[in-house]
């Protein structure tokens, strides 16, 4: 029975990690689209107005109650990253350091 319990726990952890990865991917997709479609506008703005513009667009897209694609987790990621002063950059995935074989 403990083998089944361990497997269930492992699958639960994997599911949570996959959901977190999907949320990060969706947030990055939003940022990539914004940079692609509005890059020149964003470059012409100071940092805080550019972040505020992106936050408003993120809310319009992901707000759980009124967004076009409601997703509170994605909105939270974008609010946090845009609120910290990271600017209009791609959100780094945790542990995304690429190791090259030598």
């Amino acid at each position: 029975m403990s083998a089944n319990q361990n497997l269930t726990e492992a699958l639960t952890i994997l599911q949570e990690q996959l959901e977190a990865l999907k949320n990060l991917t969706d947030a990055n997709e939003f940022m990539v689209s914004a940079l692609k479609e509005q890059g020149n506008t964003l470059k012409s703005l100071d940092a805080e107005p550019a972040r505020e513009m992106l936050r408003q667009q993120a809310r319009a897209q992901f707000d759980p109650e009124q967004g076009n694609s409601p997703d509170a987790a994605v909105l939270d990621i974008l609010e946090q990253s845009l609120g910290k002063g990271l600017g209009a950059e791609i959100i780094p995935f945790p542990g995304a350091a690429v190791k090259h074989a030598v």
Side-chain angles (χ1 to χ4, degrees):
M1 192 77 153
S2 84
N4 285 340
Q5 184 177 3
N6 289 342
L7 181 58
T8 300
E9 289 174 12
L11 288 173
T12 299
I13 292 169
L14 178 60
Q15 180 64 33
E16 290 169 357
Q17 291 176 339
L18 288 172
E19 287 176 23
L21 180 59
K22 181 190 178 308
N23 293 335
L24 286 169
T25 301
D26 290 346
N28 270 323
E29 184 178 320
F30 171 84
M31 293 298 292
V32 167
S33 293
L35 291 171
K36 182 179 178 182
E37 296 168 9
Q38 305 169 69
N40 291 333
T41 302
L42 291 167
K43 288 177 188 177
S44 70
L45 296 172
D46 288 334
E48 189 51 40
R51 285 191 296 269
E52 181 57 30
M53 184 177 98
L54 290 171
R55 282 192 298 265
Q56 288 176 359
Q57 291 174 2
R59 291 173 191 139
Q61 174 99 19
F62 298 110
D63 182 78
E65 295 182 19
Q66 298 178 358
N68 297 331
S69 305
D71 194 322
V74 174
L75 180 58
D76 186 51
I77 291 167
L78 291 166
E79 290 277 7
Q80 287 180 22
S81 65
L82 292 167
K84 287 186 205 172
L86 293 178
E89 298 175 359
I90 304 305
I91 302 162
F93 287 103
V98 178
K99 296 180 182 178
H100 297 282
V102 178

